[in-house]
Amino acid sequence: MKNNGAVLAVDTSNYTTSVAVVDMNGKVIADERKLLQVKKGERGLRQSHALFQHISNLPELIDRAAEKTRSQGFNIACAAASNKPRPEEGSYMPVFLAGVNSVKSISSVLDVPFFSFSHQEGHIAAVCGLRDKNSRALSFHMSGGTGEIVELKGNKPVDIIGGIRDISFGQLIDRTGVAFGYEFPAGAQLDRLAMQFKNNINVSYSRKGRLTAKNGILKPIHIEGNFADLSGIETECMRAAEAGYPAEKLVPELFFYISEALVRLTVNSCRQADTDCMIFVGGVASSGFIRQQLEERLQKAGITPVFGNPELSTDNAVGIGRLAAGVYIADE
């Protein structure tokens, strides 16, 4: 079974239904996804609405993944699903029930093992694959609902040492996008706008020696040690939208300040943990603007930023499949 065995994996996060099939080496056989529908002008979904959409989306996505699996000569040897946001007791969101219940039923019918992992662990495995279970590292998980700097043991987050104390970077970007008339989720749309008009940013150093956007309307993000607060800059963005400030001027400035905050948080955390590497995961890590800024600025600080394929930074089930393949092989 190992030679042609594969893993069926499902992730049902807040805004994407994801189905993937990977072989026992973690190679992607199928990667099917569908964004959940959010009404124009709204900034998210209730859990009940998201759960209903996942249940509606899964049959079609599983059918498409199954067809690709059969056409490539693979058989499903085990199945897996994300079961909660983080790998800790008490972490829970109803949306993950859609994937868990569907995949448990499939594994029972096929008489194959079922495995479950947290959404966060899946993000990490999608970017950096299976890590040695005893190896240590830092990862910055930055997505629509999470902004955490975590210490890793293998693929498992064991401690939060920094991050965001109020809303996440993803929420800041999405809320700003909706305020300026873009559809939710707005990350990809604003990233393209930031890249298009990035040369409009005039960078200078403040009296404290920090990089700032000269003649801009936003203030730098407040940071204390390894932690940041985003409510202040969110308020500034909302006021700018209400006042009719051009999005092409504000968005590049916003992404610049997000990048600067990420640089400072990363440098502070790496120095505390005595490491020179940070693994970036989550949807915000797929931003071309932010990636470019982090690569340039962190390398000057002697820190190596690790990014995965941009498509595997956003919500997907590939990482869940890779984790399951590792457990299945170890159990054989």
Side-chain angles (χ1 to χ4, degrees):
M1 180 66 78
K2 287 184 180 179
N3 292 331
N4 67 341
V7 182
L8 169 67
V10 170
D11 178 75
T12 50
S13 65
N14 244 9
Y15 299 111
T16 308
T17 311
S18 305
V19 176
V21 178
V22 302
D23 68 14
M24 291 303 164
N25 295 313
K27 183 179 178 181
V28 179
I29 298 168
D31 182 5
E32 304 293 334
R33 309 180 207 177
K34 187 172 183 178
L35 283 173
L36 304 188
Q37 299 299 306
V38 179
K39 291 181 180 179
K40 188 172 179 60
E42 294 187 359
R43 305 191 303 183
L45 284 170
R46 293 180 180 179
Q47 285 284 297
S48 58
H49 294 170
L51 180 62
F52 175 79
Q53 289 194 49
H54 283 312
I55 293 171
S56 300
N57 292 341
L58 280 170
E60 177 188 356
L61 298 182
I62 291 173
D63 280 348
R64 295 206 309 244
E67 176 58 33
K68 291 180 179 179
T69 303
R70 288 190 294 268
S71 68
Q72 296 179 58
F74 287 92
N75 298 307
I76 299 301
C78 64
S82 55
N83 62 348
K84 54 187 176 181
R86 300 188 69 257
E88 64 179 16
E89 187 176 350
S91 180
Y92 171 75
M93 288 178 71
V95 286
F96 293 107
L97 290 173
V100 169
N101 291 340
S102 296
V103 177
K104 274 187 174 180
S105 297
I106 292 171
S107 68
S108 179
V109 170
L110 296 179
D111 192 23
V112 298
F114 168 78
F115 305 105
S116 61
F117 308 91
S118 72
H119 178 72
Q120 188 172 60
E121 291 171 286
H123 264 304
I124 293 164
V127 167
C128 57
L130 296 181
R131 294 169 35 80
D132 183 277
K133 64 180 181 179
N134 294 315
S135 64
R136 296 278 181 171
L138 290 185
S139 177
F140 205 140
H141 181 187
M142 43 189 191
S143 63
T146 305
E148 297 174 346
I149 301 171
V150 296
E151 286 191 72
L152 301 178
K153 186 176 181 181
N155 288 87
K156 193 175 186 65
V158 293
D159 193 22
I160 300 172
I161 66 165
I164 312 304
R165 289 184 290 208
D166 42 22
I167 64 172
S168 68
F169 283 118
Q171 287 172 318
L172 171 62
I173 291 169
D174 285 332
R175 291 176 182 181
T176 299
V178 171
F180 277 90
Y182 291 88
E183 292 185 1
F184 183 98
Q189 302 165 81
L190 295 199
D191 183 49
R192 289 191 292 269
L193 193 65
M195 290 291 285
Q196 182 180 354
F197 293 98
K198 65 179 180 179
N199 292 332
N200 291 349
I201 304 173
N202 295 316
V203 177
S204 62
Y205 283 91
S206 69
R207 282 178 291 183
K208 294 183 178 180
R210 295 174 184 168
L211 283 176
T212 60
K214 190 176 180 181
N215 300 323
I217 65 168
L218 301 178
K219 296 176 183 177
I221 291 169
H222 177 68
I223 292 174
E224 291 182 4
N226 301 346
F227 292 88
D229 300 290
L230 304 181
S231 55
I233 197 169
E234 180 197 12
T235 299
E236 294 173 351
C237 290
M238 297 304 105
R239 288 174 178 169
E242 290 175 4
Y245 194 79
E248 62 269 21
K249 290 186 178 180
L250 181 130
V251 171
E253 187 180 345
L254 172 62
F255 273 60
F256 166 77
Y257 278 124
I258 289 174
S259 301
E260 284 305 300
L262 288 169
V263 169
R264 291 180 59 196
L265 291 170
T266 297
V267 171
N268 293 347
S269 300
C270 286
R271 286 174 178 169
Q272 176 183 311
D274 192 24
T275 182
D276 60 1
C277 178
M278 180 71 82
I279 301 167
F280 291 93
V281 305
V284 178
S286 67
S287 162
F289 184 103
I290 291 172
R291 282 184 177 224
Q292 186 179 77
Q293 293 294 311
L294 290 180
E295 287 173 349
E296 293 176 1
R297 299 272 283 113
L298 289 177
Q299 286 175 3
K300 290 179 181 178
I303 295 172
T304 301
V306 177
F307 295 99
N309 182 315
E311 290 200 358
L312 293 182
S313 293
T314 56
D315 287 342
N316 66 84
V318 171
I320 297 295
R322 289 173 174 170
L323 290 169
V327 175
Y328 180 82
I329 291 174
D331 288 346
E332 282 288 288

